Amino acid sequence: MSIIKRILDFYIGASLHVAVAVFALVKMTQHMFGIDGHDAMAGFAFFATVAGYNFVKYHTLVLRGPVRLTAWTGSMVAVSAISLVLAGCHFLDIGLAAQAATAIFAALTVLYTLPFFPNRRNARNWAGVKIYIVALCWVGVTVALPLLDAGMAFTADFWFKCLQRFILIFVLILVFEIVDLEKDDPLLQTVPQQIGVRATKWLGISLLLVFFLLELLQSVAPERQWTANLLLVLLAGAFLLGAHEKRSRYYSAFWAEAIPIAWYFLVIMLKM
């Protein structure tokens, strides 16, 4: 069991799990808009997510200069470096518009991580802002970039998908914030810190209802997508209602993070 735990910890710690979730959402967007033959975009999103998330988590190793790496930190650096190279290779194969937009999200990641602001603060430490920055970046990478890469226009359906995706990521982050409530710095002013756990759960459930009803406003709403969305809402809602401060980190970092992956597989299975 300890070997399985070590493998799972490596898989989560190296940001491979979150990258699979991003990959699934990119493929979901491509499926929704009928985009075929753009595998470079999904590959880029996967490897860029690994490199980006690991930069956020382990950037202090670089800022401190030469340090003695443990087996763990050394493996994280190796995975990050390989992912950065592979992201760069895929970057060359995506569309020019998607490349230009990538620079915006790269800049947000740097501002989110490094202390560019007064009192050596970064955007991550702005009170109450973190959840919105993260959700916007996910929307940009998993919805906007695939359409830009395919050269498609931003129609009304695109904006509705952006709003749905923002709501989904926002709600999943609420699960993380509830689980991490006792560990988070009070100055972060996360949603549960501001309004309490009970109100946070009600907020999340209300947003999931909006997510589901937004499908009504779109020009194309296949019955199978309604079914997949309903199952997604029920799953995300169950995880949100079941979240509390005593939960294991695997509850959010593995199981809740896997919800976008499950959503994509639901759509694929229903399509079959």
Side-chain angles (χ1 to χ4, degrees):
M1 183 62 69
S2 60
I3 294 177
I4 296 175
K5 184 179 183 300
R6 285 201 295 269
I7 293 173
L8 183 60
D9 286 343
F10 175 82
Y11 174 65
I12 295 172
S15 303
L16 296 173
H17 191 49
V18 67
V20 173
V22 168
F23 178 89
L25 289 179
V26 170
K27 298 300 290 184
M28 175 71 79
T29 298
Q30 292 174 334
H31 166 76
M32 289 173 170
F33 287 92
I35 300 171
D36 297 317
H38 286 257
D39 293 337
M41 182 67 248
F44 169 72
F46 175 87
F47 291 113
T49 298
V50 174
Y53 264 76
N54 285 349
F55 172 68
V56 172
K57 290 191 288 188
Y58 308 117
H59 69 280
T60 53
L61 293 175
V62 178
L63 296 181
R64 286 202 304 255
V67 293
R68 183 181 178 84
L69 297 178
T70 64
W72 173 264
T73 55
S75 63
M76 295 302 108
V77 170
V79 169
S80 303
I82 293 170
S83 295
L84 184 60
V85 171
L86 293 174
C89 294
H90 284 83
F91 178 81
L92 298 176
D93 291 330
I94 65 177
L96 186 59
Q99 289 178 340
T102 297
I104 298 174
F105 301 116
L108 279 174
T109 301
V110 172
L111 291 174
Y112 180 81
T113 307
L114 299 182
F116 284 108
F117 302 100
N119 300 320
R120 297 188 60 79
R121 294 174 64 82
N122 52 35
R124 188 182 191 182
N125 293 320
W126 290 350
V129 173
K130 173 184 174 181
I131 190 170
Y132 301 100
I133 295 176
V134 175
L136 281 172
C137 284
W138 275 68
V139 170
V141 172
T142 67
V143 185
L145 287 188
L147 264 71
L148 287 170
D149 179 51
M152 298 183 67
F154 287 0
T155 61
D157 281 357
F158 163 79
W159 296 109
F160 288 133
K161 291 299 183 189
C162 283
L163 184 53
Q164 282 184 310
R165 196 66 52 85
F166 182 91
I167 289 172
L168 173 61
I169 301 307
F170 189 94
V171 170
L172 293 181
I173 296 174
L174 292 181
V175 176
F176 278 79
E177 291 190 343
I178 292 172
V179 173
D180 293 340
L181 185 58
E182 293 183 346
K183 295 176 286 187
D184 280 338
D185 187 334
L187 295 177
L188 286 177
Q189 288 294 289
T190 63
V191 176
Q193 288 174 339
Q194 294 183 68
I195 66 175
V197 172
R198 183 181 177 84
T200 297
K201 291 183 177 182
W202 278 112
L203 171 63
I205 295 300
S206 300
L207 288 173
L208 287 173
L209 179 60
V210 173
F211 171 95
F212 186 72
L213 294 177
L214 277 171
E215 205 71 29
L216 281 170
L217 302 177
Q218 299 176 52
S219 61
V220 179
E223 183 179 341
R224 289 171 297 187
Q225 189 63 53
W226 278 96
T227 303
N229 285 2
L230 175 60
L231 294 172
L232 168 70
V233 165
L234 292 175
L235 184 60
F239 267 87
L240 178 63
L241 292 176
H244 56 74
E245 301 93 309
K246 303 301 181 182
R247 285 287 190 185
S248 161
R249 70 184 184 92
Y250 298 112
Y251 184 85
S252 53
F254 182 77
W255 294 111
E257 197 83 79
I259 290 176
I261 305 170
W263 187 32
Y264 176 60
F265 277 109
L266 278 172
V267 170
I268 297 303
M269 286 189 293
L270 288 169
K271 181 181 178 182
M272 294 173 61

